[in-house]
């Protein structure tokens, strides 16, 4: 599809470490990943609040204030993963790269997309306002997030980006977008332009991401509320979320990272073409 992402080696190092930690919600490993994500966000210039409840993984709420006249974008992700129940070809907790794919428990949901966004954000040259919500309990129903929905929904978010998205084929990207307005329409046009530059066609579907964890669908959906919504990311039809040999294709990383950076910089311009 395209040349390798310039941060691919960093990404492989990061996701390899996280896959090996196996950050199941509530575990010491989940807390270790949360601490690393917190440090990343702080280094990116975010003010980060850890919202805690005894016996639960912390909810990270990161903010960058919006300059006057500039909108705020919301990003959602999670750092917890499912346990390993299936029989894998190899060790599910040891990153394996083969035939252009990276394999490991949680790499598609949501360790790989989260690590990609944190690394891609280092390339952003101008920032809009950002509310970045990263939880550690998506796989177990998002109880801490549910307790903070009222306050989070008071923040004026112009558009939400969900945790990832999918490619139907290496040269065909599916982006989910609905409750669209002029700003989101402009973003969709920009995403299509970037895909076209990589000889990738783009199709839009007017719906939200199907959540692998049904229990979290309510709290996460409530976070987005009635705001304009979109979802894109590096996953594809072979990612097999929650299944054996869960994986991500390396070939989708560069385009989707570029789309994220372009999204933030477009919003920083006021959301104008």
């Amino acid at each position: 599809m395209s040349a390798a992402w310039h941060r691919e080696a960093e990404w492989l190092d990061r996701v390899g470490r996280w896959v090996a930690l196996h950050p199941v919600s509530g575990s010491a490993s989940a807390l270790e990943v949360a601490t690393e994500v917190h440090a990343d966000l702080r280094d990116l210039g975010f003010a980060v609040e850890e919202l805690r409840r005894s016996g639960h993984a912390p909810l990270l709420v990161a903010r960058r204030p919006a300059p006057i006249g500039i909108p705020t974008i919301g990003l959602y992700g999670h750092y917890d993963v499912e346990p390993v129940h299936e029989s894998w070809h190899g060790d599910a907790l040891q990153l394996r790269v083969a035939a252009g794919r990276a394999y490991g428990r949680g790499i598609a949901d949501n360790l790989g997309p989260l690590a990609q966004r944190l690394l891609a954000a280092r390339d952003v040259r101008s920032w809009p306002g950002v509310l970045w919500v990263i939880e550690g309990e998506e796989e177990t129903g998002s109880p801490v997030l549910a307790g903070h929905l009222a306050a989070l929904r008071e923040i004026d978010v112009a558009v939400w980006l969900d945790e990832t998205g999918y490619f139907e084929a290496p040269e065909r990207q599916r982006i989910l977008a609905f409750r669209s307005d002029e700003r989101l329409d402009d973003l969709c046009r920009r995403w299509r332009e970037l895909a076209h530059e990589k000889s990738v066609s783009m199709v839009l579907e007017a719906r939200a991401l199907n959540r692998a964890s049904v229990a979290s669908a309510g709290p996460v959906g409530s976070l987005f509320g009635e705001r304009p919504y979109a979802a894109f990311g590096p996953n594809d039809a072979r990612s097999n979320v929650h299944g054996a040999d869960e994986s991500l294709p390396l070939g989708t990383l560069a385009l989707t990272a570029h789309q994220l950076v372009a999204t933030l910089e477009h919003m920083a311009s006021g959301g104008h073409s």
Side-chain angles (χ1 to χ4, degrees):
M1 178 198 302
S2 62
W5 184 32
H6 69 285
R7 295 192 180 275
E8 182 180 297
E10 296 173 89
W11 180 82
L12 287 169
D13 179 71
R14 174 73 61 90
V15 296
R17 186 168 64 255
W18 286 359
V19 165
L21 283 170
H22 194 216
V24 174
S25 183
S27 67
S29 293
L31 183 58
E32 185 172 343
V33 173
T35 300
E36 185 173 349
V37 172
H38 185 146
D40 280 336
L41 292 164
R42 188 183 62 241
D43 291 345
L44 287 166
F46 285 83
V48 187
E49 185 177 9
E50 287 194 10
L51 302 177
R52 292 177 173 268
R53 183 193 300 175
S54 179
H56 293 263
L59 171 68
L60 305 181
V61 177
R63 298 286 305 273
R64 287 185 68 105
I68 295 174
I70 300 300
T72 292
I73 186 171
L75 303 177
Y76 169 80
H78 64 95
Y79 58 84
D80 61 314
V81 304
E82 276 284 292
V84 179
H85 302 295
E86 318 82 12
S87 177
W88 284 54
H89 293 90
D91 186 348
L93 305 185
Q94 180 69 45
L95 183 71
R96 176 170 62 92
V97 179
R101 302 188 70 85
Y103 295 83
R105 167 55 83 224
I107 196 166
D109 182 29
N110 178 238
L111 300 180
L114 176 59
Q116 180 204 30
R117 287 184 174 182
L118 289 166
L119 291 169
R122 298 179 182 179
D123 296 328
V124 175
R125 296 166 297 182
S126 55
W127 286 88
V130 181
L131 168 64
W132 202 336
V133 177
I134 305 174
E135 64 165 323
E137 298 183 312
E138 193 268 354
E139 305 293 0
T140 56
S142 304
V144 175
L145 174 61
H148 294 277
L149 285 173
L152 291 170
R153 289 186 58 175
E154 288 180 0
I155 299 169
D156 186 13
V157 172
V159 60
W160 275 100
L161 287 186
D162 208 343
E163 63 185 81
T164 192
Y166 284 84
F167 283 71
E168 297 177 353
E171 281 74 42
R172 185 174 174 85
Q173 182 182 25
R174 181 176 69 211
I175 290 182
L176 307 180
F178 72 112
R179 295 192 290 265
S180 191
D181 59 7
E182 183 177 355
R183 182 179 289 116
L184 183 52
D185 287 342
D186 283 345
L187 286 171
C188 288
R189 283 190 286 270
R190 182 62 179 137
W191 298 331
R192 190 181 300 277
E193 289 170 358
L194 293 171
H196 180 73
E197 290 173 6
K198 303 296 184 183
S199 300
V200 173
S201 65
M202 191 190 92
V203 295
L204 290 172
E205 280 191 32
R207 64 173 180 85
L209 191 68
N210 293 324
R211 313 213 80 80
S213 174
V214 176
S216 71
V220 177
S222 295
L223 173 67
F224 303 144
E226 297 302 315
R227 307 283 187 174
Y229 166 100
F232 65 82
N235 298 42
D236 68 1
R238 294 175 54 197
S239 288
N240 203 26
V241 167
H242 290 189
D245 300 316
E246 181 179 349
S247 66
L248 281 182
L250 301 180
T252 59
L253 292 171
L255 171 58
T256 48
H258 192 181
Q259 287 170 325
L260 177 69
V261 173
T263 298
L264 293 165
E265 292 180 350
H266 178 83
M267 296 286 284
S269 72
H272 303 298
S273 300

